[in-house]
Amino acid sequence: MATYRIAVLPGDGIGQEVTREAVRVLEAVAKGAGVAFEFEEALVGGAALDATGRPLAPGALELCRQSHAILFGAVGGPKWDDVAHEQRPERGLLALRKELDLYANLRPVTCFPMLVDASPLKRSVVEGTDLMVIRELTGGLYFGEPRGVERFADGGARAINTMVYTSREIERIARTGFEVARRRKKRLASVDKANVLAVSQLWREVVTRVAKAYPDVALEHVLVDNCAMALVHRPTQFDTIVTENTFGDILSDEAAILAGSMGMLPSASLGGSVGLYEPVHGTAPDIAGKGIANPIAAILSAAMLLRYSLSLEKDADRVERAVLRVLEQGHRTADIASSGKGATVGTREMGDLIVRDVEAQY
Ligand code: NAD
């Protein structure tokens, strides 16, 4: 029997509540698919800080390195808002991204037909939205040198950040873009600002070169300002989008609005030898501990784990189908309740419904 080791890092707040449900769904998959998952938990974020004095517990990085995939919850909360910069809960996540070289962030955005009215945008705009934003995560403006603020004697100042990419960095994220597009509708939009930025000119040159190895994928180059408009005007024109760090940060949050609720959005961070899967949302201190958080983003992250780290495509499809069916039946957590028919369910009940549907598919 194939055995996979999964590092589970629930973190803080609702991270713990939703990760529990994602693990239960994976357990149902294991039973049905005849594979074994060995789950090993480690502390990260505020929970790690409280217990070990560090935002990533000793041994957690090693555990992740030795696993086939990482299931992550969320980190942070008001309790740790005033701790020193290096101790902050999100440093635990940033350390993992850096140490594991997770340079590609994948965020699928699907507007589920039965949740169309949960989006603030018009039905005619969002209906049918099914896209993937791939953001380069470890280069560009957020990391480039030189950076800093210079203060002058006359009271003035000058600040600098550097947008820098090497052809190697562009090439590897472009490959991720084409590989992902190949598993979807085989359309890739590469987003840049090549009419102004030298970095974007190199970006376009390298992406065009990489495209030659993927003749089955249709590539288009889109300027970032056009892309920002098109995402809220005609999002269905996109299938897979690949872009650099800063543009991706902004566009992926913009695209998130199309799905209706933060509780519906999964993500994957890929690159090095092990992928990390987490809901896009944070720890939601306003609802933590109440058992009402929507576990679907975490469960769909587990589906991505099955697809991208374990190549268990059919099982990933089953989990996604289960989510769709449970929503079709009218079950809703509070965050998406306005578009539901029946009574609102809690985190655990939503997990139960999805687990039962997954079980029934084997
Ligand atoms: P948040 O995503 O935690 O919450 C924003 C709003 O969405 C809240 O009203 C919350 O109740 C709601 N929400 C989020 N997820 C939900 C779910 N699954 N079900 C139902 N409702 C949900 O963002 P925030 O309030 O800006 O941040 C709270 C804390 O989380 C902060 O400490 C922040 O630093 C941290 N955070 C962590 C991550 C991460 O770990 N990757 C990401 C974002 C924020």
Side-chain angles (χ1 to χ4, degrees):
M1 188 193 290
T3 301
Y4 301 102
R5 193 167 193 213
I6 315 284
V8 181
L9 280 67
D12 309 312
I14 66 163
Q16 301 184 357
E17 300 165 41
V18 297
T19 305
R20 202 173 298 135
E21 300 311 313
V23 167
R24 290 176 60 226
V25 169
L26 288 177
E27 280 167 345
V29 167
K31 219 161 44 177
V35 299
F37 294 136
E38 288 175 359
F39 297 104
E40 285 216 36
E41 262 200 45
L43 295 175
V44 66
L49 193 61
D50 287 352
T52 71
R54 291 197 243 162
L56 187 62
L61 180 60
E62 240 357 83
L63 170 71
C64 291
R65 280 211 174 98
Q66 288 161 10
S67 299
H68 290 91
I70 305 159
L71 192 61
F72 193 94
V75 290
K79 182 177 173 194
W80 306 282
D81 274 352
D82 298 325
V83 301
H85 184 70
E86 280 311 306
Q87 302 276 80
R88 290 190 62 83
E90 57 265 36
R91 302 300 299 177
L93 178 57
L94 294 176
L96 280 176
R97 284 183 182 156
K98 182 164 178 287
E99 292 298 324
L100 300 172
D101 201 15
L102 300 172
Y103 60 80
N105 185 238
L106 275 60
R107 279 202 199 181
V109 179
T110 312
C111 182
F112 290 97
M114 65 299 281
L115 298 184
V116 166
D117 297 323
S119 171
L121 297 179
K122 280 188 203 144
R123 168 179 282 269
S124 60
V125 172
V126 292
E127 203 159 37
T129 298
D130 178 11
L131 56 88
M132 172 78 87
V133 182
I134 303 174
R135 166 189 172 194
E136 203 289 332
L137 208 54
T138 55
L141 198 57
Y142 295 176
F143 296 93
E145 299 284 345
R147 60 190 291 151
V149 183
E150 241 181 300
R151 307 264 168 210
F152 304 128
D154 67 0
R158 176 176 176 267
I160 183 166
N161 285 96
T162 305
M163 184 186 267
V164 56
Y165 271 104
T166 64
S167 54
R168 184 188 157 269
E169 286 172 316
I170 300 169
E171 195 175 316
R172 64 183 190 174
I173 190 75
R175 282 192 193 287
T176 307
F178 283 104
E179 295 289 340
V180 170
R182 206 170 234 181
R183 290 172 183 228
R184 294 174 50 90
K185 298 200 190 88
K186 299 186 169 37
R187 288 190 287 122
L188 181 66
S190 170
V191 175
D192 62 36
K193 187 71 182 168
N195 54 343
V196 178
L197 299 174
V199 170
S200 285
Q201 284 152 18
L202 180 66
W203 179 278
R204 201 173 269 215
E205 180 189 317
V206 174
V207 173
T208 305
R209 193 170 66 226
V210 173
K212 295 202 170 75
Y214 299 88
D216 54 323
V217 177
L219 168 69
E220 62 167 337
H221 298 284
V222 184
L223 292 173
V224 62
D225 38 350
N226 282 342
C227 183
M229 278 196 294
L231 271 176
V232 285
H233 180 56
R234 215 157 65 81
T236 48
Q237 82 178 68
F238 295 111
D239 175 43
T240 308
I241 293 173
V242 65
T243 191
E244 61 88 54
N245 202 343
T246 309
F247 299 161
D249 189 5
I250 299 165
L251 293 178
S252 60
D253 271 13
E254 186 192 0
I257 294 295
L258 302 166
S261 166
M262 292 293 281
M264 298 295 300
L265 292 163
S267 81
S269 297
L270 311 176
S273 58
V274 54
L276 182 147
Y277 301 84
E278 58 172 330
V280 166
H281 62 73
T283 55
D286 52 337
I287 57 165
K290 295 185 179 159
I292 59 169
N294 185 350
I296 291 179
I299 290 169
L300 291 175
S301 301
M304 292 185 85
L305 181 156
L306 294 169
R307 175 166 292 120
Y308 291 105
S309 280
L310 310 185
S311 292
L312 296 171
E313 293 272 353
K314 291 208 170 79
D315 302 291
D317 289 345
R318 285 188 177 96
V319 173
E320 288 167 358
R321 245 191 328 263
V323 168
L324 201 66
R325 231 172 355 228
V326 165
L327 291 172
E328 264 163 13
Q329 288 158 7
H331 303 291
R332 301 283 186 273
T333 43
D335 55 312
I336 48 174
S338 61
S339 54
K341 294 178 226 128
T344 302
V345 299
T347 312
R348 181 79 190 188
E349 293 97 312
M350 183 55 95
D352 282 342
L353 288 159
I354 295 168
V355 164
R356 272 206 295 278
D357 192 286
V358 168
E359 284 170 347
Q361 291 184 56
Y362 288 97

